[in-house]
């Protein structure tokens, strides 16, 4: 994946969302993953998610990698992949990223 920047992420098993999303089999809410994307890639102006596709759930405590790459027209392509097997769990395009 040439030209991609990578940052490790992990939502801990004791995160407040683990108790309610979903009891007995907690997964990280998609909104929380997108919040991390926005926090890490925020530029000086507003951010707009142009496209987002969720492909697989992420259990709390499972390490994942956020990868991103600048695209033409001020867009940024991003992916979240499982840390160990690098399976794609989320992909999207963001406008207004740094």
């Amino acid at each position: 994946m040439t030209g991609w920047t990578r940052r490790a992420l992990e939502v801990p098993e004791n995160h407040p969302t683990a108790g309610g999303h979903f009891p007995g089999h907690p997964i990280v809410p998609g909104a929380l993953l997108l919040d991390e994307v926005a926090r890490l890639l925020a530029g000086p102006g507003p951010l707009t998610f142009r496209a987002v596709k969720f492909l697989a759930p992420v259990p709390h405590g499972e390490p994942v990698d956020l990868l991103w790459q600048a695209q033409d027209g001020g867009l940024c392509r991003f992916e979240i992949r499982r840390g160990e097997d690098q399976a794609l769990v989320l992909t999207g395009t963001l406008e207004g990223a740094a």
Side-chain angles (χ1 to χ4, degrees):
M1 302 195 106
T2 306
W4 290 79
T5 303
R6 180 183 303 261
R7 165 94 37 102
L9 299 174
E10 185 174 337
V11 178
E13 290 182 22
N14 64 350
H15 189 274
T17 59
H21 198 268
F22 297 95
H25 187 65
I27 62 170
V28 178
L32 185 59
L33 293 173
L34 293 179
D35 187 55
E36 286 297 304
V37 170
R39 184 179 66 80
L40 291 170
L41 301 183
L47 292 174
T48 302
F49 285 97
R50 292 290 179 188
V52 175
K53 187 171 188 177
F54 295 92
L55 302 166
V58 177
H60 284 77
E62 182 173 359
V64 294
D65 292 320
L66 169 62
L67 296 92
W68 68 93
Q69 180 183 58
Q71 303 284 295
D72 291 336
L75 299 176
C76 178
R77 181 172 171 216
F78 65 91
E79 298 179 349
I80 294 182
R81 293 182 173 268
R82 285 195 190 112
E84 192 167 311
D85 65 8
Q86 288 297 290
L88 188 60
V89 297
L90 171 64
T91 185
T93 305
L94 183 64
E95 183 177 359

